[in-house]
Amino acid sequence: MARWDFFVSYTAADRGWAEWIAWHLEVAGYTVLVQAWDFVPGSHWMSRMDEGIRAGARTLAVLSRAYLRSVYGQAEWEGAYQADPTGFARRLVPVRVEDCPRPGLLGGVVSFDLFGLSADEARTRLLAQIAAIHRGRDKPGVEPPFPGTTPPAGPPRASDT
């Protein structure tokens, strides 16, 4: 059994995002291992990182350009990927905090974005996506509109492109 629901993988440049995400996950009742709070003096950093990957049900990778340049970030997301290469257990969950690429194997893992949103919108999206991860699907709670009707006027939504 997993010791934590989530291990939050991030680089120093994204510590604010990592702590914000961890805070809201814990408020929602999840258990979280995050370096900023849990790697206290006397801890062995590499051992804690390895423990987070192995004993966390999921690794939540906080993706940014800085993270993608991080050797340790790469080791963390690759460890989670190797533990679940097919993605059926959703062990690796990429969360983009800025518009950045998802190169190589990381590009094949479905992610979600938190950038460009208000704090309330980001929190709502974070918790909705985490709930979908646990359910294994994201079926809407209401019937979708009939596609044969004329859509309301206005610019296309990001999800429509």
Side-chain angles (χ1 to χ4, degrees):
M1 176 123 195
R3 190 165 168 194
W4 298 279
D5 296 311
F6 295 96
F7 168 54
V8 179
S9 172
Y10 67 99
T11 195
D14 301 316
R15 179 178 174 164
W17 274 108
E19 289 187 90
W20 185 89
I21 289 167
W23 181 271
H24 289 290
L25 291 176
E26 286 193 354
V27 167
Y30 297 103
T31 56
V32 179
L33 178 69
V34 61
Q35 178 183 343
W37 302 342
D38 298 305
F39 293 28
V40 297
S43 299
H44 186 265
W45 184 78
M46 291 295 285
S47 295
R48 293 291 281 171
M49 181 178 80
D50 183 59
E51 183 180 16
I53 295 165
R54 286 184 300 100
R58 293 180 175 84
T59 295
L60 199 149
V62 180
L63 294 186
S64 67
R65 286 178 191 84
Y67 183 84
L68 294 171
R69 290 188 303 268
S70 168
V71 172
Y72 295 113
Q74 182 173 352
E76 291 170 1
W77 76 255
E78 283 181 351
Y81 183 91
Q82 290 171 1
D84 180 33
T86 62
F88 290 129
R90 294 171 299 285
R91 292 281 312 260
L92 175 60
V93 180
V95 180
R96 293 189 329 147
V97 296
E98 70 179 29
D99 190 6
C100 61
R102 292 176 300 125
L105 294 174
L106 195 54
V109 181
V110 177
S111 65
F112 65 94
D113 298 344
L114 294 181
F115 62 90
L117 304 173
S118 70
D120 286 340
E121 291 168 328
R123 181 176 38 259
T124 298
R125 179 170 295 166
L126 170 68
L127 296 177
Q129 292 300 303
I130 296 303
I133 290 164
H134 282 90
R135 285 190 311 270
R137 68 189 313 218
D138 199 14
K139 180 181 176 183
V142 297
E143 177 183 351
F146 176 66
T149 61
T150 304
R157 297 178 308 199
S159 61
D160 293 337
T161 56

